[in-house]
Amino acid sequence: MDVEGLKSRLAEANQEHLLKYWNQLSDSEKSQLYKELNHLDFKEINGFFKTAMEDLASASEKLDDVLEPLPKEVCGRVVSTEEEVLLQYDVDGLTEIGESRVAVLLLAGGQGTRLGVPYPKGMYNVGLPSGKTLYQIQAERLLKLQRMGEAVSGSSCKIPWYIMTSEHTKQSTLDFFKKHNYFGLQEEDVVLFEQSLLPCIGFDGKIILEKPHKVALAPDGNGGLYRALHKSGVLKDMEGRGIKYVHVYCVDNILVKMADPIFIGFCMSKGANCGAKVVEKAFPTEAVGVVCKVEGKYQVVEYSEITLKTAEKRDSTGRLTFNAGNICNHFFTLDFLKFVSDPSQEKQLKHHVAKKKIPYVSEQDSKVTIKPDSPNGIKMEKFVFDVFHFATSFAVWEVIREDEFAPLKNADTADKDTPTTCRRSLLNLHHRYLLAAGAEFVDKDGNLLPHIPSQKGEEEAVFVESEISPLVSYAGEGLEKLVDGRKFTSPVYLNQDYKMEEPEIVEGEW
Ligand code: UTP
C-alpha cells in the first residue's frame, strides 16, 4: 500500500479527512479503505461536484420557452395504427429476433431504497398466484420470444440478456440465477456486468465517510450504463454475436414487453437509431418525465422543469401538448450505443443531483453511523435517456399504459407503484387476455361473472385472478385453443415452465 502517495493525492483534492481514522483501523479495514480510495479519481469527482452544484443552483430555471412538442413524423400510437401495419411491425421485429440480431439490456443496478428490501428488486415476488419473481417473469418472456423468433426464422435463435448490476446487486443476482438454473435460459446468454459507484458528497464538497473505513458510495445512475458498456467489453460481446438492435429497460416494470417485436418493427420502419416507448401522460401534474424537444434536441423533461401552464397546454384534439410519458423503455441500434458510450460523448452527459439523507460516521463515537433526518449531501447520477440528445433519427411509440406499464417502486404502505398495484395490473391484463380469447368466469355457484369487475350488492368488488405463464403466451396470443368457450373459476393459472412440453390449466386454490 502506498499510503503516502494516497495521502498526497487526497491533500491535493482537499479530501484528507478520509484518512482521519486511519490509525484506529485494523489491518483488514486499512486495506479495505485503501482499496476503495485508490479506485477513486478525486480530481474527476471534484469536477463532477462543482458542475453538479452549479446545475443545482440553476435548477429552478424553467424550460418552458425552449420546449417543443414532438414532430408528428417521429411518433406512432398503438391505438391509432391499423391492424395490418401492427402485424407488419410484429413480423419485422420477430424476423430480427429470429435472426439473433436483437439483445435486451436490463438496468438493475439501483438500490431500490423506496421498496426497502435487502436484496435486488428483480428477486421480488409481488404475490402472484405462481409466486414468480420479476426476474423469472422476464426470463420466461425471453424464452418464449426466442421460440417465437425461431418459428419465424426456422432456425434456432438467441436473445442475449445483458444485466447491469452494481456492487449492491451483482453477487446476489448471479447467485439467484444460478440457483434457478437461469430459468431455462442458457447461462452464456445471460451476461452480468457492473456499473460504477460514485461517492456521496456533503454540501461542503467533502466526500462522506459512512464508517471509519468505508466511503459512502452509490451507483452512478442508470445512465452509468454508457461508462459501464465502454469499460466492460459488453459492446464487443454484442458485436461478436451479430447484434444490431438493443432494447433497454428497467427491472421494476412488471408488464415490460422485453424486445417487443412491434416496438422494434416500428423503430426500424422509422429508420431510427434511438427510440422511446411512452405512455400518455394521465394528467398535467402527473409526476412523470415527458419526451419532447429542447432547442432542437430530443430530451426527457422532468415535471419539475416546466411550469403548470406549460404542463396544462393542450393541442387542437384536446390531448396534452407534452404528453409522451417516459417509461424507461428504449430502443438503440448497436452503432448508436457504441457512439454514445465512447468517452468523448459519454463525458458530455451531465450528472443529475439529488439531495439525500446520507448515513455518516459520528464525530463523537466512530463506531456509530448516524442516519440523518434531513438531507446532508448529494448523490450524483446520470440518466439513461440523456443520450436522446445524440439521436440523429428518433422514434416515439406510444402504448397503452394498462397493457405495458406498472412499475414497482414502493412498499405496500404507499398508495401507488406497490407490490399490490403491480400484482393487480398483471392479473387484470391476463384476465383481459383470457376474455379476449373466449374464456368466461363463473363464481363458485356456477353463475357467470361480469367481464368488468363490479360491486355485488353490499359485498366487495369481485376480482378475477388469472395468471398466464409467459411460456404459454407472450402478449395474449395463442390462447384460444386452450380457453375458448370454457368456463373457469378464479383463480386460474395457465402454467408452463421451461421443462414442460405443454401448458396445464390449474383452477381454484392451489
Ligand atoms: P429508480 O430510479 O427507480 O431507482 O431506478 P431504484 O434504485 O430502483 O429505486 P430507489 O429510487 O432507490 O427507490 C429505475 C431503474 O434504473 C435502475 C434501477 O435498477 C431501475 O431498474 N438503476 C437505477 C440502475 O441500474 N442504476 C442506478 O444507479 C440507478
Side-chain angles (χ1 to χ4, degrees):
M1 286 192 290
D2 175 14
V3 181
E4 287 312 309
L6 177 63
K7 268 188 189 160
S8 76
R9 282 204 305 124
L10 287 171
E12 230 172 84
N14 213 10
Q15 302 284 2
E16 308 97 303
H17 65 287
L18 294 172
L19 291 182
K20 185 171 163 188
Y21 302 100
W22 186 258
N23 292 333
Q24 302 167 22
L25 302 181
S26 67
D27 284 350
S28 75
E29 288 171 339
K30 276 183 181 162
S31 112
Q32 189 186 329
L33 181 62
Y34 180 84
K35 214 166 124 200
E36 233 169 42
L37 294 176
N38 217 25
H39 261 97
L40 299 176
D41 180 341
F42 298 106
K43 214 167 140 197
E44 183 181 59
I45 292 163
N46 283 349
F48 290 166
F49 176 76
K50 188 168 167 284
T51 328
M53 291 311 274
E54 285 163 8
D55 285 347
L56 201 59
S58 63
S60 56
E61 288 167 22
K62 301 290 181 191
L63 293 172
D64 301 58
D65 293 343
V66 284
L67 217 58
E68 299 163 50
L70 292 167
K72 281 204 171 53
E73 62 276 14
V74 306
C75 300
R77 298 179 76 195
V78 75
V79 289
S80 55
T81 303
E82 285 171 14
E83 200 57 40
E84 63 262 37
V85 178
L86 284 177
L87 211 63
Q88 191 57 54
Y89 293 155
D90 199 21
V91 169
D92 292 346
L94 273 177
T95 303
E96 293 303 308
I97 288 168
E99 298 294 334
S100 300
R101 289 197 282 260
V102 177
V104 291
L105 194 154
L106 167 60
L107 304 167
Q111 291 170 296
T113 41
R114 284 168 288 172
L115 183 62
V117 289
Y119 50 83
K121 224 188 245 187
M123 287 161 54
Y124 197 84
N125 157 11
V126 300
L128 291 168
S130 66
K132 285 178 188 172
T133 58
L134 296 176
Y135 278 149
Q136 180 168 1
I137 295 169
Q138 292 173 23
E140 291 183 348
R141 283 186 191 144
L142 269 188
L143 206 50
K144 175 69 176 177
L145 207 50
Q146 278 182 184
R147 291 177 185 170
M148 290 161 73
E150 285 170 358
V152 170
S153 71
S155 56
S156 87
C157 83
K158 284 177 182 284
I159 311 173
W161 190 9
Y162 297 93
I163 304 181
M164 183 173 83
T165 58
S166 63
E167 192 184 78
H168 303 95
T169 58
K170 184 166 182 188
Q171 196 54 47
S172 31
T173 300
L174 191 61
D175 294 344
F176 188 72
F177 274 98
K178 282 204 166 124
K179 182 173 156 204
H180 293 283
N181 207 11
Y182 292 81
F183 301 104
L185 293 165
Q186 296 298 308
E187 184 175 345
E188 70 268 19
D189 297 331
V190 182
V191 181
L192 269 65
F193 65 107
E194 205 173 336
Q195 70 176 111
S196 307
L197 301 175
L198 273 179
C200 304
I201 306 186
F203 296 120
D204 56 359
K206 303 276 187 203
I207 293 173
I208 295 175
L209 274 179
E210 187 181 309
K211 292 186 180 151
H213 61 285
K214 175 132 195 38
V215 177
L217 291 166
D220 58 354
N222 56 24
L225 170 67
Y226 307 105
R227 197 174 167 126
L229 282 178
H230 181 74
K231 288 205 318 202
S232 63
V234 159
L235 293 169
K236 286 234 152 52
D237 188 87
M238 288 180 178
E239 209 164 18
R241 291 172 188 255
I243 297 299
K244 272 178 79 178
Y245 305 112
V246 184
H247 176 226
V248 174
Y249 70 101
C250 290
V251 70
D252 50 25
N253 177 10
I254 195 166
L255 302 183
V256 66
K257 284 188 183 162
M258 303 158 74
D260 174 13
I262 296 183
F263 179 42
I264 292 166
F266 168 76
C267 292
M268 285 165 52
S269 77
K270 295 282 176 194
N273 55 3
C274 174
K277 193 185 257 193
V278 299
V279 296
E280 183 165 12
K281 190 175 170 181
F283 52 93
T285 52
E286 189 186 12
V288 61
V290 290
V291 185
C292 56
K293 273 184 129 178
V294 174
E295 296 177 322
K297 303 271 188 197
Y298 292 99
Q299 190 173 318
V300 173
V301 169
E302 297 295 341
Y303 56 97
S304 55
E305 293 178 300
I306 52 174
T307 61
L308 179 62
K309 195 163 167 239
T310 297
E312 284 177 333
K313 258 190 178 167
R314 291 185 186 272
D315 65 18
S316 57
T317 65
R319 297 181 80 207
L320 292 172
T321 306
F322 300 102
N323 64 12
N326 177 45
I327 55 169
C328 192
N329 215 303
H330 309 314
F331 164 94
F332 300 117
T333 61
L334 179 56
D335 286 341
F336 182 78
L337 274 185
K338 286 200 292 202
F339 177 72
V340 296
S341 301
D342 186 88
S344 48
Q345 274 66 247
E346 194 279 333
K347 278 202 166 98
Q348 296 176 43
L349 305 176
K350 63 172 188 170
H351 286 102
H352 298 253
V353 187
K355 292 183 184 172
K356 295 271 177 182
K357 299 172 201 164
I358 301 154
Y360 62 96
V361 59
S362 160
E363 291 272 337
Q364 278 71 41
D365 180 356
S366 64
K367 289 193 189 68
V368 176
T369 295
I370 297 182
K371 289 189 176 157
D373 297 327
S374 57
N376 58 329
I378 62 163
K379 279 188 185 175
M380 297 181 291
E381 294 193 334
K382 292 194 174 183
F383 291 168
V384 66
F385 51 69
D386 278 340
V387 296
F388 290 0
H389 182 84
F390 295 110
T392 49
S393 176
F394 198 63
V396 181
W397 181 237
E398 185 195 302
V399 296
I400 299 171
R401 184 187 292 239
E402 57 271 29
D403 288 357
E404 302 212 23
F405 185 55
L408 176 63
K409 297 287 183 194
N410 305 306
D412 261 329
T413 42
D415 57 4
K416 65 175 223 176
D417 303 339
T418 63
T420 297
T421 59
C422 284
R423 184 174 64 249
R424 280 266 165 89
S425 297
L426 187 126
L427 294 175
N428 177 287
L429 176 65
H430 289 187
H431 181 203
R432 287 184 283 121
Y433 283 160
L434 291 179
L435 292 176
E440 290 287 356
F441 288 85
V442 290
D443 66 17
K444 55 183 183 329
D445 303 320
N447 303 313
L448 272 185
L449 289 172
H451 287 185
I452 297 177
S454 58
Q455 300 291 127
K456 267 185 113 192
E458 296 293 298
E459 291 168 34
E460 290 235 314
V462 181
F463 287 102
V464 167
E465 292 207 341
S466 36
E467 187 185 349
I468 304 165
S469 164
L471 288 164
V472 178
S473 179
Y474 172 78
E477 78 292 337
L479 296 172
E480 288 82 359
K481 60 181 186 294
L482 293 169
V483 303
D484 190 15
R486 287 188 60 174
K487 292 193 174 74
F488 297 101
T489 48
S490 168
V492 57
Y493 176 41
L494 271 57
N495 179 31
Q496 188 170 9
D497 68 21
Y498 68 94
K499 293 179 224 126
M500 293 163 65
E501 291 280 322
E502 296 295 329
E504 65 172 4
I505 298 179
V506 192
E507 252 183 292
E509 301 301 330
W510 68 89

